Amino acid sequence: MVGGVSRFYSFASIGGSLYSTGDLDLEVRNSSPGVLMTTSVDLRSFNPFGPHVGLAYEYFAHARVHQPIFFSEPLQAWCLTRYEDVRAVAADAARFSNREAIPRPTGLPLEAQRVMDFLYDTSTLLLTDPPAHGPIRRFVHEGFSPRVVAGFEPDLQKIVGGLADTLVGPPRFDLVGGFAEMFPLLGAMRVLGFDAEHAGDLKRWVGNLMTLLAGWRFLTPEQLVEQGRSFAGAFDYLQSVIDDRRREPTDDLVSFMVHNEFRGRRLTDLEIADLAIGVLGAGWETTSAAFVSLLAVLLEEPRDKWRALVAGEADLDAVVAEGLRFDIPILGTFRRALVDVELAGTTVRAGELVVILFSAANHDPAQFDDPDTFRLGRPRRPDMSFGHGIHNCVGAPLARMELSIALSALVERFPDLRLDDPDAPVRFKPMSQFKERTELWLRPS
């Protein structure tokens, strides 16, 4: 759940034309941190959803030196690249609003508008500010505490192990489609209380939500209707799960939200449904994308990092933490200034958007020594992989556990694992709020 519920909708459509219309081909050397730009850079044109999706870290490195806070025309927002600025704004809920950052779409076809109203009329973690945010977050925070999540470890081990076993045998396999996309989905479903047989439906419904939120400005009326109709079945399904858990509670998060209260406050069924689908969306694609990025860097030739893992010379949890710091799938999240604010010599006016770039903060040399190098034994320092402040990722314990279990499963089964083609161009998914590869082909030996 890298990025978590509070960043599930982080780059929803806000300003200009942010999104590409097809897959983006970029060389591998430009898709990861560590390569500095040698040509002039127009920071005002920065667009992580179009031509710059594979160049984001190079833009951040240039900006930190020349203009640490810069305005992006495509995003229509001020971009923050230094650790101290990102941390300060993320912690400042009094002057920077989450709820006001993403305007509510109106006037859509009935089918699509119903979905939007479902999201905006309930008290989601993202679309609330204090004081309403606190009680809602408390429910999910307690349901995702390290103690609670640890209780799911045997089930998650079984899920991941079964998926990893299906990779054994073929001469090569695509990590994305057969494994990385499924283990976070099935893991989050187990924690929430959704039956595995509905995985296909839930993938489609999350996809409908993200397409509507991220792309509603660019969809035709017919496409909006299609997306809204496709999601319609989610309302009945989510209500049925809530009703079942009300009658017969189990150990899952939906049961916890149904049967608990905080300071006399109980969640409504719509709030539970909204939180459940939001947790699923946050816990699926972000964790999947993070795992693929981690494997890509661990398997870079000469594969010394992978060999160290196989030999037991590197701590699995530390490797996961470094992987998240090195290349997280969500670049950052939006806030809207409620008052005029001075940030590092730049005045952000009330009503203007800022993007707190967690990924840029994780590569600030003022916070991390040699930040563009992946180090297996890097000493731990506070990072922004799961955000900061009241909107930090509530699902962090689950994400860390899933990633460690998945990495361990591949290390055990494929000690000689390698990239199928180290020189293959990287392709990223279009119309995505996350930095997601379309594929990563691997060879067991």
Side-chain angles (χ1 to χ4, degrees):
M1 193 169 297
V2 182
V5 178
S6 65
R7 284 186 275 168
F8 176 39
Y9 311 125
S10 53
F11 278 127
S13 171
I14 292 184
S17 55
L18 306 184
Y19 300 95
S20 66
T21 56
D23 291 347
L24 297 169
D25 293 338
L26 293 163
E27 294 299 323
V28 172
R29 65 177 180 272
N30 285 339
S31 64
S32 298
V35 180
L36 296 178
M37 290 181 165
T38 58
T39 58
S40 60
V41 178
D42 178 14
L43 292 174
R44 292 186 70 87
S45 70
F46 177 63
N47 181 355
F49 301 97
H52 308 141
V53 62
L55 301 169
Y57 289 103
E58 291 87 297
Y59 270 79
F60 300 156
H62 179 91
R64 270 193 301 270
V65 174
H66 300 284
Q67 195 177 351
I69 298 178
F70 67 91
F71 191 82
S72 162
E73 292 287 354
L75 299 181
Q76 286 294 292
W78 293 97
C79 299
L80 280 57
T81 61
R82 297 191 308 188
Y83 184 93
E84 61 180 282
D85 298 326
V86 169
R87 189 178 189 277
V89 172
D92 192 351
R95 296 191 296 173
F96 293 93
S97 169
N98 251 29
R99 183 167 183 82
E100 298 301 322
I102 304 177
R104 178 177 186 146
T106 58
L108 304 182
L110 181 62
E111 295 85 351
Q113 191 64 54
R114 183 189 181 197
V115 178
M116 293 298 192
D117 292 344
F118 164 65
L119 294 173
Y120 280 80
D121 286 341
T122 52
S123 299
T124 66
L125 286 177
L126 176 65
L127 299 174
T128 53
D129 291 325
H133 177 268
I136 302 298
R137 181 181 173 85
R138 184 73 176 186
F139 282 100
V140 185
H141 179 75
E142 292 191 6
F144 270 116
S145 70
R147 177 186 59 81
V148 172
V149 168
F152 291 104
E153 184 171 2
D155 289 338
L156 298 178
Q157 291 272 11
K158 184 176 180 180
I159 289 169
V160 171
L163 290 170
D165 287 342
T166 67
L167 303 177
V168 177
R172 68 176 194 142
F173 58 84
D174 174 24
L175 182 70
V176 175
F179 183 75
E181 281 191 347
M182 290 308 299
F183 80 79
L185 174 66
L186 294 175
M189 288 174 61
R190 169 62 187 93
V191 172
L192 284 159
F194 298 147
D195 293 334
E197 65 189 75
H198 295 289
D201 290 330
L202 287 160
K203 281 182 67 175
R204 186 180 76 253
W205 293 331
V206 170
N208 297 144
L209 278 182
M210 295 187 65
T211 299
L212 286 170
L213 277 165
W216 66 269
R217 292 179 184 270
F218 316 112
L219 298 177
T220 66
E222 292 76 19
Q223 289 172 324
L224 288 168
V225 169
E226 179 184 0
Q227 293 294 324
R229 285 177 177 171
S230 180
F231 184 81
F235 293 111
D236 290 337
Y237 173 73
L238 293 169
Q239 187 62 58
S240 71
V241 173
I242 293 168
D243 291 341
D244 287 345
R245 296 305 184 270
R246 183 168 284 119
R247 290 189 298 267
E248 298 181 20
T250 62
D251 63 349
D252 54 59
L253 182 58
V254 170
S255 295
F256 180 86
M257 291 190 290
V258 167
H259 291 278
N260 283 275
E261 63 180 44
F262 178 67
R263 295 180 180 174
R265 162 87 152 86
R266 285 189 179 273
L267 295 175
T268 68
D269 285 3
L270 278 176
E271 287 172 332
I272 295 171
D274 179 273
L275 286 168
I277 199 72
V279 165
L280 183 67
W284 167 32
E285 289 193 283
T286 52
T287 305
S288 171
F291 186 73
V292 173
S293 295
L294 175 61
L295 263 289
V297 70
L298 289 175
L299 294 175
E300 287 179 349
E301 294 296 340
R303 296 190 300 125
D304 54 314
K305 303 178 188 67
W306 187 256
R307 291 191 180 97
L309 270 176
V310 172
E313 299 170 354
D315 178 74
L316 215 64
D317 293 338
V319 171
V320 167
E322 174 67 351
L324 292 172
R325 183 206 66 82
F326 188 71
D327 193 14
I328 55 176
I330 294 183
L331 296 178
T333 187
F334 285 97
R335 298 285 194 274
R336 192 178 297 277
L338 299 176
V339 296
D340 290 356
V341 181
E342 189 82 8
L343 292 172
T346 298
T347 300
V348 177
R349 301 295 182 187
E352 290 186 327
L353 287 172
V354 299
V355 186
I356 45 179
L357 292 164
F358 298 114
S359 48
N362 277 353
H363 283 259
D364 189 343
Q367 178 70 7
F368 304 99
D369 181 50
D370 193 15
D372 294 330
T373 298
F374 187 107
R375 290 184 177 175
L376 291 180
R378 180 181 294 275
R380 290 300 305 274
R381 296 205 66 188
D383 60 43
M384 294 290 164
S385 300
F386 292 100
H388 179 68
I390 66 169
H391 291 288
N392 73 325
C393 176
V394 294
L398 177 61
R400 293 190 185 101
M401 178 183 289
E402 288 180 326
L403 290 167
S404 292
I405 291 173
L407 184 57
S408 176
L410 295 193
V411 167
E412 292 173 3
R413 288 165 177 78
F414 306 109
D416 296 321
L417 193 65
R418 63 194 64 216
L419 297 172
D420 181 53
D421 180 4
D423 297 321
V426 177
R427 297 171 68 87
F428 293 100
K429 294 181 180 180
M431 288 292 288
S432 177
Q433 297 182 73
F434 314 125
K435 184 184 175 186
E436 298 180 89
R437 294 176 181 239
T438 59
E439 58 187 7
L440 183 67
W441 286 91
L442 306 179
R443 286 188 177 273
S445 61

